[in-house]
Amino acid sequence: MMEPIKNIAPLKNFTVYNPATDQPVGTYDIMDRERVGHAVGKARQTFSAWSETPMAQRRRILGKAVTILANNVEKYAGIVASETGKTTLDAMMADIFSALDIFKYYKKNAGKFLKPVRVPGSTFLPGRKAYYTFEPKGVIGIISPWNYPFALLAGPAVSALMAGNTVVIKPASQTTGSGLMFKEIMDQAGMPDGAIQMVTGNGSITGQALIENEDLDMIFFTGSTAVGREISKIAGKRMIPAVMELGGKDAAIVTKNANLDRAAHAIVWGGITNSGQTCIGTELVLVDRRIYDAFEKKIVDLVKNLKSGSEPGDVGSMTMKSQFEIVRSQVEDAKAKGAGILAGGEPLPSPHGLYFPPTVLTNVTEDMKVRTEETFGPLLPLIPYDTIDDAVKIANSTEYGLSGSVFTRDMAEARDIAKQLKTGSVNINDILVTYAIPDLPFGGIKRSGIGTYHGESGIRAFTNVKSITEYKWNINKEPHWYPMTKQGDRLIVNILVVFFSGNLLSRIKALFKLGKPVREMFKAKPS
Ligand code: NAP
Ligand code: MG
């Protein structure tokens, strides 16, 4: 992905440039297969000690990390902003604040979520205690993207670590410094040496070396569907789990019963925040034709008032030149096929920075890329619909299934639409918030991903579940064990009738017949 290293295979390092200013912000090693192998080896060596570290100690470390992060918000948000081009406020809110929230959540709940779970057992297996436990998987490989380079790395990493795993993390090369922040903070907080390994470099060398390493027990990937598919193949061959958090084409549906002001404000923020480089950002705006004109005006008024520019500004620079070009080409494609541009559309002449102006499109048709492909940029295509069925059909028509929004005051209508959307989450009269509620599992369906994180199931995903039974009565033999006996046969016949027959009289008769074989069974004393 990184331009400076694109065609130069033997390079040993690469430089990250601030996309808003073109100034260099850091130079990092490109780690090859051998160095990645070394990192995985160290994580493996540290695993047994870390997995046996008591939860109280893990919690203490995480608590200290929370304080370090909270006390240095501006410093850390500044690093994120310098690599992504986003505004410092965007970095504080979406990267630092949301990571802090997840840290605190798992500090509070990890112990509870990972306690052994006692279950009732089975009527047919009297005397057994049954429960299941959660054991850390081992060494987890985490590959993260550049759009929220701290939060989307720290969230899964903390989940994995609190479950007792060690981690090897490859940040997106463009945002290496934001990734290294995580290790710096955790080390300061007292993380044992070796438990967190960072591998720096681009995807095709360092990332590939990581996912091909034979000693990983699980992969957690956040990024594009195309790369996710390749990683899934490798994980499949090795029979290790791979959680996939991939792309999206989220729709917001605005019905005639919506509070149009709230819907417009929400959609403009949800589609444009972080310059639209949000996996769950709004990419299709579906509006009931009866309120379309009024709604279009509200959206256009809001978007025209947004100020581009990092400090101060509403909308920062985009992060990747390649992504900027995708956005530009989608707008050109739409214009050539007859779309109207109601705001924005042309990149601003600027000596530095990837400032694509927030853009509102109309007359968007099915043959346009902006309608079907992920944009990952500040575009809001407005599409009128006639019936709710039509709206749902358009929302579900893409290959993705990440998230979506519904705006209406009619809650029955809202829930009905939410139920029909084929996505991993839905916000009613809201935008992006399912991600911000740590108890809610987060993930996509269809080509948007496999598996979820966050919540109780999210930390358990980083463990192996082990089912255990305990039996203390210790009679010599179960009735169905060898050698077979008459009493055993009778016992089983009558048990089946007692528990499964629909006829009450047969069941009562069978119950009386149970007495003798049960007594005989227990006569056999434990040895
Ligand atoms: P990407 O190109 O797939 O890159 C993601 C990560 O994978 C980066 O660290 C990248 O490294 C690495 N990588 C690339 N090729 C690799 C390979 N062959 N083997 C191993 N690792 C490899 O995605 P992106 O462009 O950075 O991110 C944007 C995409 O991520 C969008 O589609 C967006 O929707 C999705 N996303 C999804 C979520 C979610 O939670 N569902 C969240 C955020 C983003 P380099 O960059 O260093 O090459
Ligand atoms: Mg998007």
Side-chain angles (χ1 to χ4, degrees), residues 257-471:
N257 302 313
N259 172 343
L260 297 190
D261 284 307
R262 180 170 178 83
H265 278 99
I267 287 167
V268 169
W269 185 73
I272 307 298
T273 185
N274 210 37
S275 294
Q277 303 162 118
T278 305
C279 54
I280 46 175
T282 303
E283 298 226 342
L284 293 171
V285 186
L286 312 178
V287 189
D288 189 307
R289 205 180 289 279
R290 285 164 284 188
I291 46 127
Y292 181 88
D293 289 341
F295 190 72
E296 179 190 278
K297 183 173 179 334
K298 286 183 194 295
I299 291 275
V300 171
D301 286 348
L302 286 171
V303 168
K304 282 196 164 155
N305 277 314
L306 293 175
K307 305 239 175 329
S308 285
S310 278
E311 312 299 343
D314 299 314
V315 188
S317 167
M318 291 186 69
T319 303
M320 308 292 278
K321 181 93 173 109
S322 52
Q323 198 57 47
F324 184 87
E325 291 307 331
I326 291 173
V327 176
R328 189 209 295 266
S329 80
Q330 287 196 3
V331 172
E332 290 311 317
D333 172 75
K335 278 205 285 198
K337 291 171 181 164
I341 305 293
L342 302 178
E346 286 290 333
L348 309 171
S350 152
H352 300 294
L354 302 169
Y355 292 100
F356 202 97
T359 297
V360 183
L361 298 101
T362 183
N363 297 329
V364 172
T365 50
E366 270 174 59
D367 57 337
M368 297 176 186
K369 288 180 184 166
V370 71
R371 163 75 169 71
T372 53
E373 294 177 12
E374 185 181 44
T375 303
F376 222 55
L379 307 186
L380 289 174
L382 302 183
I383 303 172
Y385 67 81
D386 293 308
T387 67
I388 297 285
D389 283 352
D390 292 342
V392 168
K393 213 164 144 193
I394 298 170
N396 287 340
S397 67
T398 75
E399 60 176 342
Y400 296 108
L402 197 52
S403 189
S405 286
V406 183
F407 291 90
T408 170
R409 291 191 183 89
D410 177 345
M411 292 313 281
E413 177 181 68
R415 291 189 193 113
D416 181 51
I417 296 171
K419 198 173 159 198
Q420 294 184 65
L421 289 180
K422 295 193 167 55
T423 58
S425 60
V426 180
N427 295 288
I428 295 173
N429 295 323
D430 226 325
I431 207 101
L432 309 188
V433 296
T434 52
Y435 177 81
I437 296 176
D439 267 312
L440 287 176
F442 181 83
I445 61 171
K446 292 161 74 182
R447 303 282 153 76
S448 290
I450 302 172
T452 60
Y453 69 132
H454 289 183
E456 182 182 68
S457 57
I459 190 165
R460 289 178 175 178
F462 291 96
T463 66
N464 294 322
V465 176
K466 182 180 276 177
S467 293
I468 299 178
T469 66
E470 291 181 10
Y471 183 59

Side-chain angles (χ1 to χ4, degrees), residues 1 143-144 146 170 172-173 203 208 222-224 245-247 279 374:
M1 302 278 315
I143 297 182
S144 55
W146 43 261
K170 195 208 89 67
S173 43
Q208 195 77 27
T222 308
S224 62
E245 301 286 345
L246 310 175
C279 54
E374 185 181 44

